[in-house]
Structures are given as structure tokens and as C-alpha cells.
Amino acid sequence: MIDVLIVGAGPNGLMLACELALAGVHPVVLERHVTPTGEPRANGVVGQVVRLLDRRGLYTRLSGESTPPSPQPAFVFGAFPLDLTMLAENPHYVLGVPQAQLEATLAARATELGVDLRRGHEVVDLRQRPDAVEVCLADGTQLTARFVVGADGGRSVVRRLAGIDFPGVTNDRSVSRTATVTVPSSSVDPETGGLRVPGHGVVAPFQHTRTGRGLIAWAPFPGRPAILSTTEWPDVPASDETPMSLAELRASVARVLGAEVPFGEPDGPGLLRRLAGQNTRIAARYRADRVLLVGDAAHVHPAIGGPGLNLGLQDAVNLGWKLAATVRGWAPQGLLDTYETERRPVAERVVMSTQAQSALIGPGDEITGLRELFAELLRKPEVTGHIAALMSGADIHYPADPADPLAGRCAPDVVVHGDHGAVRLAELTRTARPLLLDSTGVYAEVAAPWRDRVDVVTGALRGTTATALLVRPDCFVAWSAGDADTLRASLTHHFGLPG
């Protein structure tokens, strides 16, 4: 019998597979496509998940840099530029890698960890038993697994077969058009990389520019084709019967800016995409007995601000250690159910954020007035800091002991100074095991009965005021204050009874 069967080999399914493998559970991943599609999707990873990738040793692979990630000095919210340099503590990180590269890196890592990745296998039916899930594939193959995880996107077959509703709203008011393009060098500002448009001015790079008629974004990615996109709110919804063309995008750009932009086809295969309307939905439940959902299978929302991978990959890491603990038999009662109680509120905040941004970019004089007010508010560091924390996911606070100031929050970037020199937390968390950092030497003895599942590192802690930290595998703090009794209680609550 398979312990965990993951349906979908996108970033979320592959990340979950890696987490399970690190925890000693070797899953099977099914993907209906024979080869990776290579279809252009996300253009980067945004938010606190960049730090998480660093803490799994994946940031260097993806970025090619040997130094830790640094916060981004600027970003965008609802077509407003965010000046993050005004913040004393900037929580916003960006890793500019296309989704295809992210998937390839995660697939390679999963293979290194012994994950069984099977492409060209399509799930068509499943049936739950009290002790397992029976899965039927399109070729008639029958598989049995203790747990099945749907990581198969917004149109999740697993979600439908498990009988999980997907409530929410769909509207067809907006039309977005996106293409990879080439532009004459004379149309690119040499200092900023912005797009020079006679009769309009410069369209700033990597920002959303709103006019009274629509939205435009210009993304001149280094080393790969530039992307130009527009969003409009037409009186008549766009038809999906005719394929998207560059001529259609040219006409849209001219309507949005009131001026024409010269651009042509990219060198080699390119992207031509039209999306009509928006979907905002959250699954009625993340778990139906032995079937669970992760990523877009559990929630979909507008892509504005790029929060999708930040949300989905952290879903996977939150679920991974809890599901592994359940499979291996040491999970405390109710641990697996905390996947939904912790992650659903995060999805709800992402939905709130994307809906608010969608409203702020809309057409009309009343929206223009609202934007003038909002621009005033964003000059205040406390407002920009609040938005940055929301956009990056740095404001996540899982339910925890209210007397413990760090519990339930993402672990700080601690450096441990011990007998073997200085070691970053990101180097200690690559095994995805629970971790006790102890600067006193006292708490290590308390954690000794859990040595089969909790690693202990002693040394002086820099980067935190806490004298000790108990860090969960998903790099959130389980405990940071109190005496031996509160540590023992936290160990039991999160990681079960001693082995």
C-alpha cells in the first residue's frame, strides 16, 4: 500500500513530496501530463516563502547566489508603488524565477530524495475506505493509498471526486491579455528599463500602471523575453472563440494608454494569453477523511500581487510534517486537522487582499478618488508596513499560547554561535526536522526523550531575544518562553508523546 499519493506535479505537489520524503515518508506523485508543459505561468516567487526556500537549501539552486535572500526595496499593491525602504523591518522578498524553473528544481530535488514521480497517469475515480483510499487511473490501473492529496489545481479532479464543494464567486467583468514581446531599443529607457510611450510618458517596469481606461504592466526580465499585459473592463465580455493575437494586445494597449506602442513577436516560442473574468473560491473543507487538498485545489483568487505560490508552497510545508507524523504514528490527536485551522485563515486574508487590489485598479472617477486617498495613506510607514506584511505573509500568527510572544509566528533568522562556529537557522532546518535551539544548555535535557524526532542545537543565539526556541518543521515557532514544564507541554502538543 502507498502511504501518500499526491495527484499533481506542480510546485505545490512537488514541494509536499519533498517535505514528506525529508520526514521519512516516500510518496508517489501522479501527473497526467507525460512531460512538463513548460507553459508560462508565474514569473517569480513573492513573500516569506523565499525565506522558506532558503531554509530548505533551495534558494541557492534557484537564484544562483551564494548569499542569503535580501528584502525587496520596492513592490506594488493595487497598482500603487510600495516604497519598502521606509520600513525599519522589511518583510518582503522576491525571487524572480519562472514557474517552469521552479518546477524543474523541485522535481530534481524530489528525485534526489527518492520520490516516485510518475508522469502520464491520470486519476479518474477514487473511493474511500475506513483505512485507505482506492484510486482508479485512466488506463484501468488501481492504486491503494493510506492518504491522497489533491495538488491538481483549481479544476481539481480529486476535490470533485472527494465531494468537496468549492464555493465562491466568478465574474466576467475584466479581460486580461498577456504576451511575450520584443520592442525597439529606442522604446526602452536606458536608466530605468521603463517603456517609453510617445504621447503618454514612461511606463515603469515591474509595476502596474493604471489609467482611467485600464491597467498595463511591463516586465523586461533579464535574460528572457519581456512580458507586456493589459487589463480592461469592457462593456461586452471578450469571446474565447478566437485565439489571442499580438494585434489584439496592440489595440488593448492603445485603448489603455491612449497611445500606440510598437512591439513584435519574441525570438522563439512565446506566450499569448487572454483571461476573461476572475475566480475567487475556497474549498468548503481542506480534508475529507483520508483525502486532503493543497494549493490551488483548495483556493483560487486573482493573481494580482503574485501571492499564489507564497500561499500554496506554505500550505505544502504546513501539511507535510503533520501528514508524515500521522503516517509514522507519532502525531498527537488532532494534529492533521490543524492543517486547515491554520491555513484557511491565511487563504482568507489572501482573498481579501486580492479582492481589495482588484477594486483599487478598477475604472471610474470614484475609484480615482479612492486611489488619491490611498496614495496619501501609503506615505505613512505604518500603513506601508501593514500592507507589506499582508502581501508577504509575514503577518501570519497561528493559534498559540498568548503568553508566548513568538509562538505561532515565523521563526526569526537566528544565528547560533556554538563549538563549530556560527550557523544560520536556514542551514539547520534543511532536514525539515523539529528543532530546539538552546542557549542555556538546560532545555536540551528536557527534550532528550523526543530525540528520535527533535534535534537539539546548543549555543548562543543572535537575532532573537529568546534564550531558547522550539521550531516546527515548517519553521514556525512552537515555544519560546517559560520553564521546563511549558517546554515539555509544547513538545507533547506538537510532536506527541516521547518515543
Side-chain angles (χ1 to χ4, degrees):
M1 182 186 296
I2 298 168
D3 282 328
V4 179
L5 185 67
I6 301 171
V7 181
N12 302 318
L14 291 170
M15 190 74 181
L16 175 60
C18 292
E19 292 295 298
L20 289 168
L22 286 168
V25 175
H26 294 281
V28 172
V29 181
L30 302 182
E31 171 55 52
R32 65 185 180 90
H33 294 290
V34 177
T35 59
T37 64
E39 178 184 343
R41 293 182 181 176
N43 293 303
V45 184
V46 175
Q48 291 288 294
V49 73
V50 177
R51 296 172 69 207
L52 179 62
L53 292 171
D54 181 39
R55 291 173 173 184
R56 288 296 187 264
L58 295 168
Y59 176 78
T60 297
R61 292 191 184 199
L62 289 163
S63 67
E65 300 175 3
S66 59
T67 55
S70 299
Q72 188 79 359
F75 202 62
V76 63
F77 177 86
F80 287 98
L82 289 180
D83 178 11
L84 303 178
T85 61
M86 69 172 72
L87 304 181
E89 295 185 11
N90 180 1
H92 206 65
Y93 294 78
V94 175
L95 176 57
V97 295
Q99 183 167 324
Q101 180 184 345
L102 175 63
E103 287 185 9
T105 300
L106 289 173
R109 178 58 173 153
T111 300
E112 292 171 5
L113 294 171
V115 171
D116 185 354
L117 174 56
R118 306 177 187 177
R119 298 189 182 273
H121 294 267
E122 183 178 0
V123 173
V124 296
D125 198 10
L126 64 80
R127 184 172 67 87
Q128 295 212 52
R129 304 188 327 224
D131 62 339
V133 184
E134 296 175 350
V135 177
C136 180
L137 306 186
D139 63 1
T141 301
Q142 301 282 336
L143 299 174
T144 303
R146 294 178 64 184
F147 291 93
V148 171
V149 180
D152 50 343
R155 295 184 174 90
S156 172
V157 171
V158 172
R159 185 185 63 235
R160 176 177 57 81
L161 293 173
I164 299 176
D165 291 337
F166 204 36
V169 295
T170 300
N171 71 69
D172 59 0
R173 295 191 299 271
S174 65
V175 178
S176 298
R177 298 174 175 89
T178 304
T180 46
V181 300
T182 56
V183 301
S185 58
S186 59
S187 296
V188 179
D189 184 85
E191 295 185 3
T192 66
L195 188 62
R196 289 173 170 168
V197 182
H200 171 79
V202 176
V203 176
F206 303 107
Q207 298 282 337
H208 293 113
T209 299
R210 177 191 177 269
T211 71
R213 299 169 296 277
L215 195 75
I216 187 168
W218 162 246
F221 293 104
R224 52 191 172 111
I227 292 179
L228 187 62
S229 65
T230 63
T231 301
E232 297 179 90
W233 293 264
D235 296 331
V236 178
S239 172
D240 288 332
E241 296 180 0
T242 57
M244 167 75 175
S245 66
L246 282 184
E248 181 180 332
L249 180 60
R250 286 192 189 95
S252 178
V253 169
R255 288 192 298 269
V256 171
L257 294 180
E260 294 186 355
V261 174
F263 59 82
E265 297 180 355
D267 298 328
L271 167 67
L272 281 172
R273 183 172 61 204
R274 180 201 305 117
L275 296 176
Q278 294 179 333
N279 256 325
T280 300
R281 299 180 180 276
I282 299 179
R285 48 190 172 143
Y286 283 18
R287 179 187 180 190
D289 299 322
R290 292 180 174 272
V291 175
L292 299 106
L293 305 176
V294 70
D296 288 355
H299 40 67
V300 295
H301 48 78
I304 187 167
L309 286 172
N310 191 24
L311 179 59
L313 291 172
Q314 293 201 70
D315 281 350
V317 176
N318 184 286
L319 175 60
W321 71 276
K322 297 172 181 178
L323 186 53
T326 303
V327 169
R328 298 189 66 187
W330 58 258
Q333 184 69 29
L335 178 66
L336 193 54
D337 289 329
T338 66
Y339 164 58
E340 178 169 355
T341 58
E342 289 186 344
R343 295 304 297 171
R344 173 179 286 276
V346 181
E348 290 170 347
R349 283 189 65 75
V350 168
V351 164
M352 177 270 287
S353 170
T354 56
Q355 287 179 325
Q357 292 182 75
S358 297
L360 284 167
I361 66 174
D365 293 341
E366 68 278 11
I367 299 299
T368 300
L370 176 62
R371 291 181 62 83
E372 290 176 0
L373 173 61
F374 209 84
E376 292 182 13
L377 295 174
L378 286 176
R379 297 189 190 106
K380 299 178 180 293
E382 61 271 27
V383 175
T384 294
H386 185 91
I387 295 294
L390 170 65
M391 294 280 286
S392 66
D395 61 351
I396 296 174
H397 190 184
Y398 296 145
D401 181 359
D404 190 332
L406 293 180
R409 298 189 179 276
C410 187
D413 287 324
V414 174
V415 177
V416 182
H417 293 260
D419 295 338
H420 300 288
V423 183
R424 295 193 303 129
L425 177 66
E427 299 171 81
L428 299 171
T429 54
R430 293 176 182 177
T431 60
R433 283 173 57 85
L435 182 67
L436 176 65
L437 306 179
D438 180 13
S439 67
T440 69
V442 174
Y443 297 112
E445 184 177 349
V446 177
W450 284 267
R451 64 170 61 90
D452 63 317
R453 70 200 72 149
V454 179
D455 291 338
V456 177
V457 178
T458 58
L461 305 184
R462 301 289 182 267
T464 180
T465 57
T467 56
L469 288 172
L470 179 61
V471 182
R472 306 182 341 176
D474 57 357
C475 297
F476 277 73
V477 176
W479 171 92
S480 73
D483 53 21
D485 288 338
T486 60
L487 173 57
R488 195 174 291 110
S490 184
L491 285 162
T492 304
H493 175 74
H494 289 92
F495 311 122
L497 295 171

